[in-house]
Amino acid sequence: MSTEGRSAEAATAPLERAAFVRVVTRADGDALAASGILARALSERATPFQVTVAETVAERTARATDGDDRDDDATTLAVGACDADVARLEAGDRPATLEACDLAGDLGATPDPVLALAGAAAAGVDPGAGETERLLEGAVERGLVERRPGVAVPTADPVDGLAHSTRCYAPWSGELAATREALDGVDLAGDLDADARKRVASLVALDVVGDGDATDRAAESIGRLLRPHATPQAPFETVGGYADVLEATARTEPGTGVALAMGRGAREAALDAWRTHGKRAHAALDGASTGRYDGLFVVGIDDGPVETVARLAAAYRSPEPRVLAVGDGQAAIAALEPAALGPLAEAVARDLGADYDAGRRRASLRYDPRTEDATVIEAVRGAL
């Protein structure tokens, strides 16, 4: 399968003259933010558009080519891998969000820096790192972002935020009552002062790294949750929390996620989806079976979001550089560091007769649910 489309640099002219734009996007937080940035740019130009979320390369290709024969003035832009001959963002290792910012700028729009930082964070880029340094500096100058003590969750209530966060994995994750008990002794009433935020962060860090099953990687992973970039004018409390909600809605309620990324409200619906997603992910990982192979840590679950389970396991539980989460007819591969997972996922998909998708650190597979887990594991191991 070929996933080479016209480069994003070549997309400006077609979008400038298009009477209608179809954006077909990958189902993750980075791609969702990228689509929102492009949608807002098109709105400023009064260009009609449609945003569709598709979970696999095959589905994205089908949607990208739908209507080609009848819409001579329409342009299609795929965010993520696509086999159709259309413009595409994220042709390399760069987050789709950053490519979307460049394209929006070419169209004369100024991207929302908080949304852009959240999208980059969903892709694994810490605010201020690499190309996001300029975005962060601009957001700070405008009073849109400020660094503070505490934890990077989307809600003002740290109990709610930590219990449902998929950027953290502690013994109490997924349970409100257990999370509240873990923070016992901290005055959580009203607006938290700096001392209270520091105490919350310290308790969380101790619980995470002190868990008997935590890996050395857990200390680095939890560090990304601490001293968050607060976003006083955004829909959510922090950049990291915003990224977490984008990830959740992209995978569970894409329509809500699209509305959120486009700036059309949907905050409460997005938070509801995020809470449900977080509970399912933590419950699945808590009850998972595990196996270790050379270079691969396998997590077997009965039910739950395999992509999120794989990401959590990679950050907090895996002694190997890659994690394979296997569910019912679906699996996900997560890498500790940015990696070219597209070729790996494509090879496994070809072996299993499956559909696939891939981002900077994760890949997903959809296959016949009658396929044995052992078959999937061997296919992934053989492709490593």
Side-chain angles (χ1 to χ4, degrees):
M1 284 180 282
S2 170
T3 57
E4 293 298 325
R6 294 191 300 272
S7 70
E9 295 179 358
T12 303
L15 290 183
E16 284 179 329
R17 60 175 180 263
F20 182 80
V21 177
R22 289 188 296 267
V23 179
V24 186
T25 183
R26 193 178 61 233
D28 65 26
D30 172 32
L32 197 63
S35 300
I37 288 168
L38 292 175
R40 296 185 193 199
L42 292 169
S43 291
E44 290 186 21
R45 297 176 59 85
T47 301
F49 63 87
Q50 177 189 53
V51 178
T52 304
V53 179
E55 292 187 349
T56 66
V57 174
E59 183 182 353
R60 204 151 47 247
T61 299
R63 296 191 181 188
T65 55
D66 181 41
D68 276 354
D69 292 337
R70 64 176 183 271
D71 296 328
D72 293 337
D73 295 328
T75 291
T76 298
L77 178 69
V79 182
C82 181
D83 285 330
D85 183 23
V86 297
R88 175 162 68 88
L89 290 188
E90 196 182 331
D93 294 334
R94 196 178 184 217
T97 299
L98 298 181
E99 296 228 348
C101 286
D102 288 348
L103 182 52
D106 290 343
L107 294 174
T110 301
D112 176 355
V114 177
L115 175 60
L117 288 167
V125 179
D126 294 330
E131 292 183 75
T132 68
E133 181 179 7
R134 178 174 52 83
L135 285 170
L136 180 60
E137 289 176 349
V140 170
E141 289 175 1
R142 294 168 57 185
L144 301 177
V145 173
E146 59 186 31
R147 200 78 186 263
R148 73 181 186 197
V151 288
V153 295
T155 58
D157 177 6
V159 174
D160 181 21
L162 288 165
H164 302 111
S165 174
T166 66
R167 296 172 67 83
C168 172
Y169 188 49
W172 33 259
S173 291
E175 299 290 339
L176 276 170
T179 305
R180 189 173 291 109
E181 183 177 351
L183 300 181
D184 187 39
V186 181
D187 184 5
L188 301 177
D191 293 334
L192 302 187
D193 60 21
D195 287 341
R197 294 184 190 278
K198 289 178 182 178
R199 291 190 65 191
V200 168
S202 295
L203 289 171
V204 170
L206 287 172
D207 282 351
V208 168
V209 300
D211 191 299
D213 294 325
T215 60
D216 292 342
R217 177 78 178 191
E220 180 180 344
S221 297
I222 196 60
R224 294 192 173 98
L225 191 80
L226 310 180
R227 293 197 69 241
H229 293 83
T231 51
Q233 299 181 44
F236 307 106
E237 295 293 312
T238 65
V239 169
Y242 201 159
D244 203 18
V245 175
L246 287 171
E247 282 282 289
T249 54
R251 302 189 185 285
T252 60
E253 291 190 16
T256 297
V258 168
L260 177 68
M262 289 169 54
R264 296 183 178 177
R267 178 182 184 275
E268 293 307 316
L271 283 174
D272 286 344
W274 164 76
R275 292 185 182 101
T276 299
H277 179 77
K279 287 179 181 178
R280 292 186 66 226
H282 287 296
L285 187 52
D286 287 345
S289 62
T290 61
R292 184 177 181 181
Y293 303 86
D294 184 20
L296 186 69
F297 186 66
V298 178
V299 180
I301 64 174
D302 293 326
D303 180 54
V306 290
E307 294 92 345
T308 303
V309 169
R311 173 167 57 85
L312 276 169
Y316 293 99
R317 289 294 182 266
S318 176
E320 300 292 343
R322 290 184 178 86
V323 171
L324 170 66
V326 184
D328 185 19
Q330 56 183 340
I333 306 166
L336 296 183
E337 301 294 341
L341 294 179
L344 171 64
E346 184 177 352
V348 176
R350 189 164 48 241
D351 191 6
L352 297 177
D355 290 335
Y356 81 99
D357 203 3
R360 294 181 76 243
R361 293 180 185 231
R362 278 162 281 165
S364 60
L365 299 160
R366 298 291 185 270
Y367 49 85
D368 188 334
R370 294 171 296 181
T371 305
E372 296 288 339
D373 289 356
T375 302
V376 179
I377 295 169
E378 288 306 310
V380 174
R381 292 184 65 196
L384 289 176

